[in-house]
Amino acid sequence: MNQYDAIIIGTGAAGGIVACVLAEAGRHVLLLERGSVLSFADVGRDHLRNQRLAIYGHNAGPELSGNPRVFVDPFGQSRIVKPYELDYHDNAGCVGGGTRVYGAQAWRFHPNDFRMASQYGVPDGSSLADWPISYETLEPFYERAEWELGAAGDGDSIQHQIPRKRNYPLRPVGANPQTVALQNAARQLGWVTTPVPLLINTEPYGGRSACIGCKYCVGFACPTDAKSGTQNTMIPRALATCNCELKTETIAEVIETDERGNVTGVSYLDNSSGEPRRQTARARTVIVSAGAIESARLLLNSHSQLHPSGLGNEYDQVGRNLQGHLYPRAYGISPTKVFNGVGPGVTIATTQFNHDNPGITGGGMLADDFIKPPIDFWYDSLPPDLPRWGIENKRFMRDNYTRVMHVRGPVQDIPNPEGRVVVDTTVRDKWGIPVARLSGTTHRATVAAAEFMRERGEEWLRASGCEKVWSTQPGLILSGRQHQAGTCRMGHDPKTSVTDEWGRVHNHDNLFVVDGSLHVTNGGFNPVLTIMALAFR
């Protein structure tokens, strides 16, 4: 049995940063990861099996066998789901977590995202609340994340909406033909636009090469290591101190407590040798950074005589308020070719509608899209009146793959306390640990905002000169498939939150949650930079 200053569970956007900060401060850290270190070749470039389009499997974990979850649909019917199915609500399971294969959009939340309840009131049936911290509190840590990992963008373009003291360290990605059409259209409409900020090197930075503009970005690994994840920035720094011990292929089973209920360490299953071995490590501090679903699952599975409902769950708050993002999307056929094959593809966004939309609670962002492999285009982007097979479909794919313009973006999720994670009493994973059971939906106010943003997407494409426009938006579903968050929300009142403003679990001095679970609301933007900023803080 080993003794550490801190045990960190999870190596994703938050866990890798916390490990680095503590190790560089001289603390003795144990960093646990359920997956393994994946090389570029390990991740691969399979159009059918990747983290973005997981039709027949995925490429960054978790393992397809032995890692089920239970999903309960809106009609109360439950079924076992596998990691590559939509209703699994997957995060990658490898060193670096989702940052190994993400699209790396590096948005700061809008200042109003931290005070949603004060600005809009609380819709009936929702659990909308203000954060216990403000944008101003987090602003220096946003800056730190942008500069320590390396972000590319133009902060001046939306300085009036999202103020900052220092611009990005790297220039934004270059424009493509779609960028020009969308920028001209936004100017006609009087809309604010900005280059999409990305944690991608547009020039050499941090000892790593620049982006080469390949067509495989979101869902895949970067061939030049230009995409900044924790696996190629913060974790190598942590390991270089010799104060951080990384254990891969280890499954955290329970957080251990003593006879007085105080947290003492973690019991885990070490599978690195091919034969599972149960181990226990002791620590002064335990930090859970496994993602909103798995962090909640671990706390709920860590029950004892003094904590019969799990750690931090005295008021039945752990696992509630599961959020993500609905993604309204619109498509249009441009009269000219807009796809030139230069990635990553996402270049321009409008932040015009993040807030202050009459009759709408919140809002969202719209941007052009990452380059899609043809099979992803076929599944996602075809007009609803087009046959899905046959000569007409083939002709459309051949003639329009390079002409279809795409705009999409996340909508501010209005949390529902019934969107939740519990542990299933009958289904266990291959290690014998009870699995996560997901149920509920987002709130109807989220769907209303998504419909509003869908209409704005069509408006933008029509103004861009598209000959034919169509769109889709999800209905009332559980939205944690994209950017899961919210299950261990921070707050001042233990009766309505799980942690304090630092991520410290209420009534536990040495147990922290540091990941998207903390988010009270999930913003009208991709949340990874906020997760990173909270980790630095």
Side-chain angles (χ1 to χ4, degrees), residues 132-148:
I133 60 174
S134 66
Y135 173 82
E136 290 73 23
T137 301
L138 210 53
E139 197 277 336
F141 301 99
Y142 276 132
E143 180 182 298
R144 184 174 177 183
E146 291 163 351
W147 281 79
E148 291 206 25

Side-chain angles (χ1 to χ4, degrees), residues 333-476:
I333 301 175
S334 170
T336 59
K337 178 180 174 180
V338 291
F339 172 68
N340 62 5
V342 178
V346 59
T347 62
I348 184 174
T350 181
T351 58
Q352 183 79 21
F353 305 104
N354 278 90
H355 287 281
D356 302 321
N357 304 301
I360 298 297
T361 305
M365 175 270 292
L366 287 171
D368 54 359
D369 202 6
F370 292 92
I371 291 176
K372 293 184 179 75
I375 188 65
D376 194 354
F377 178 92
W378 184 87
Y379 269 100
D380 175 77
S381 309
L382 299 183
D385 58 351
L386 181 74
R388 276 348 193 218
W389 54 84
I391 190 64
E392 189 177 349
N393 183 280
K394 291 180 180 180
R395 186 181 297 115
F396 183 93
M397 289 285 294
R398 181 179 62 245
D399 295 345
N400 294 302
Y401 177 67
T402 60
R403 295 175 60 211
V404 172
M405 295 174 65
H406 313 241
V407 293
R408 65 179 61 200
V411 168
Q412 178 80 254
D413 207 2
I414 306 307
N416 178 356
E418 298 308 315
R420 64 184 308 190
V421 179
V422 299
V423 290
D424 196 278
T425 57
T426 59
V427 180
R428 296 173 180 259
D429 64 16
K430 62 181 175 182
W431 318 116
I433 304 170
V435 305
R437 181 181 179 92
L438 313 178
S439 60
T441 68
T442 185
H443 192 272
R444 292 191 181 277
T446 311
V447 180
E451 174 64 15
F452 173 81
M453 294 304 295
R454 181 191 67 79
E455 292 171 353
R456 301 290 76 70
E458 285 200 358
E459 185 179 3
W460 199 5
L461 291 176
R462 288 194 183 95
S464 300
C466 288
E467 300 165 349
K468 178 178 181 177
V469 173
W470 63 98
S471 60
T472 61
Q473 68 114 332
L476 193 63

Side-chain angles (χ1 to χ4, degrees), residues 34 66-72 78-82 87-90 290-301 319 322 420-429 432-439 478 484 487:
R34 65 175 173 172
N67 288 291
R69 284 176 181 162
V70 176
F71 176 77
V72 183
S78 64
R79 63 185 181 91
I80 294 174
V81 289
K82 297 178 180 179
D87 290 329
Y88 192 88
H89 295 67
D90 186 32
I293 292 174
E294 290 299 316
S295 289
R297 177 194 177 200
L298 179 58
L299 291 178
L300 293 170
N301 275 326
L322 176 61
R420 64 184 308 190
V421 179
V422 299
V423 290
D424 196 278
T425 57
T426 59
V427 180
R428 296 173 180 259
D429 64 16
I433 304 170
V435 305
R437 181 181 179 92
L438 313 178
S439 60
L478 189 63
Q484 60 184 244
T487 56

Side-chain angles (χ1 to χ4, degrees), residues 204-244:
Y205 190 84
R208 293 176 293 109
S209 300
C211 171
I212 58 172
C214 78
K215 293 182 286 187
Y216 299 85
C217 196
V218 61
F220 301 94
C222 179
T224 61
D225 229 17
K227 188 160 57 174
S228 304
T230 54
Q231 83 287 341
N232 62 1
T233 57
M234 308 305 292
I235 293 174
R237 281 172 49 182
L239 298 176
T241 66
C242 297
N243 291 326
C244 178

Side-chain angles (χ1 to χ4, degrees), residues 75-282:
F75 303 102
Q77 300 297 312
S78 64
R79 63 185 181 91
I80 294 174
V81 289
K82 297 178 180 179
Y84 61 86
E85 295 181 272
L86 276 177
D87 290 329
Y88 192 88
H89 295 67
D90 186 32
N91 267 352
C94 60
V95 173
T99 70
R100 188 71 180 98
V101 291
Y102 68 164
Q105 291 198 33
W107 294 98
R108 297 181 177 198
F109 281 2
H110 191 288
N112 287 344
D113 291 343
F114 296 88
R115 48 183 186 242
M116 290 283 291
S118 294
Q119 180 163 350
Y120 295 101
V122 180
D124 290 343
S126 82
S127 49
L128 189 64
D130 291 345
W131 289 54
I133 60 174
S134 66
Y135 173 82
E136 290 73 23
T137 301
L138 210 53
E139 197 277 336
F141 301 99
Y142 276 132
E143 180 182 298
R144 184 174 177 183
E146 291 163 351
W147 281 79
E148 291 206 25
L149 279 85
D154 177 14
D156 290 341
S157 59
I158 52 171
Q159 173 75 19
H160 65 292
Q161 292 178 320
I162 305 176
R164 58 170 57 239
K165 294 183 174 65
R166 192 182 189 191
N167 212 331
Y168 296 95
L170 297 165
R171 58 176 171 78
V173 295
N176 60 36
Q178 180 166 294
T179 320
V180 175
L182 289 170
Q183 193 168 46
N184 289 338
R187 192 175 296 116
Q188 295 171 27
L189 294 166
W191 294 1
V192 173
T193 62
T194 182
V196 176
L198 297 165
L199 286 160
I200 293 176
N201 288 357
T202 51
E203 56 193 78
Y205 190 84
R208 293 176 293 109
S209 300
C211 171
I212 58 172
C214 78
K215 293 182 286 187
Y216 299 85
C217 196
V218 61
F220 301 94
C222 179
T224 61
D225 229 17
K227 188 160 57 174
S228 304
T230 54
Q231 83 287 341
N232 62 1
T233 57
M234 308 305 292
I235 293 174
R237 281 172 49 182
L239 298 176
T241 66
C242 297
N243 291 326
C244 178
E245 181 181 348
L246 171 63
K247 285 186 178 289
T248 59
E249 300 178 70
T250 59
I251 311 298
E253 187 174 22
V254 295
I255 298 167
E256 296 285 355
T257 54
D258 61 20
E259 66 279 359
R260 293 174 295 178
N262 298 318
V263 170
T264 59
V266 177
S267 287
Y268 59 92
L269 293 161
D270 186 340
N271 309 295
S272 57
S273 65
E275 194 68 34
R277 294 175 296 139
R278 183 169 278 102
Q279 308 253 8
T280 299
R282 302 296 186 195

